[in-house]
Amino acid sequence: MREHGESLLELVVAVALMGVAVVAVMSGLTTTVLMSDVQRKQATVGVVVRDYAEALQQYVASGHYVACGSTYNVPDFVAPQGFSAKVVAGSVQYWSVGLTWLPLCLLDTGLQRVRVSATSADGRATEYVYVVLRRPCGVEDPPCS
């Protein structure tokens, strides 16, 4: 009985096939880890933008409404590490009675719409939300129009 070993060509082909398979598996694993990171950041940035929007509404409701204001900042809001939230510059719009939202403040009717954004530090996740701010009217205030 003759025993034959593997030829050099068979070994080279086998190693090449295993190399391709390993590269494919590692590439898939790397993509999975990267997408998991992006998805986690997208979920977190969604929470951050909504938390900031809520904090902004509470800040304005507590007496910080600015008639014909151009921007807002919530001083007590702290975003999680690696994330930031802000009112988008130039996004404040003013309600014109019976018309629509206008970028110019012709007459402040007590309603403003601002665009709030939250972003991850690496820029992989960003989300925007529009927030309507209302001038607070109390019993001691003059009637709201």
Side-chain angles (χ1 to χ4, degrees):
M1 189 154 100
R2 286 180 62 191
E3 291 186 28
H4 291 281
E6 308 298 327
S7 70
L8 180 59
L9 182 58
E10 291 172 331
L11 289 174
V12 169
V13 169
V15 168
L17 287 174
M18 288 186 64
V20 169
V22 167
V23 167
V25 168
M26 292 306 293
S27 175
L29 184 61
T30 302
T31 302
T32 301
V33 169
L34 179 64
M35 289 298 106
S36 175
D37 178 59
V38 170
Q39 184 180 15
R40 180 184 55 81
K41 286 180 180 170
Q42 287 174 339
T44 304
V45 84
V47 170
V48 171
V49 75
R50 283 163 184 77
D51 285 350
Y52 187 78
E54 184 177 331
L56 176 61
Q57 286 178 324
Q58 290 176 353
Y59 179 72
V60 169
S62 68
H64 296 95
Y65 181 85
V66 179
C68 291
S70 60
T71 189
Y72 284 93
N73 185 22
V74 182
D76 296 336
F77 183 80
V78 178
Q81 185 176 358
F83 296 90
S84 63
K86 64 180 181 178
V87 171
V88 176
S91 71
V92 180
Q93 296 177 331
Y94 311 91
W95 180 250
S96 178
V97 177
L99 297 175
T100 185
W101 295 105
L102 299 175
L104 300 171
C105 183
L106 303 175
L107 172 68
D108 191 287
T109 59
L111 285 176
Q112 298 175 355
R113 182 172 75 170
V114 298
R115 189 174 188 195
V116 175
S117 75
T119 307
S120 64
D122 61 4
R124 289 185 178 166
T126 301
E127 188 162 335
Y128 298 94
V129 166
Y130 280 100
V131 179
V132 175
L133 303 175
R134 181 172 97 40
R135 180 179 64 219
C137 296
V139 175
E140 67 281 353
D141 295 330
C144 293
S145 57

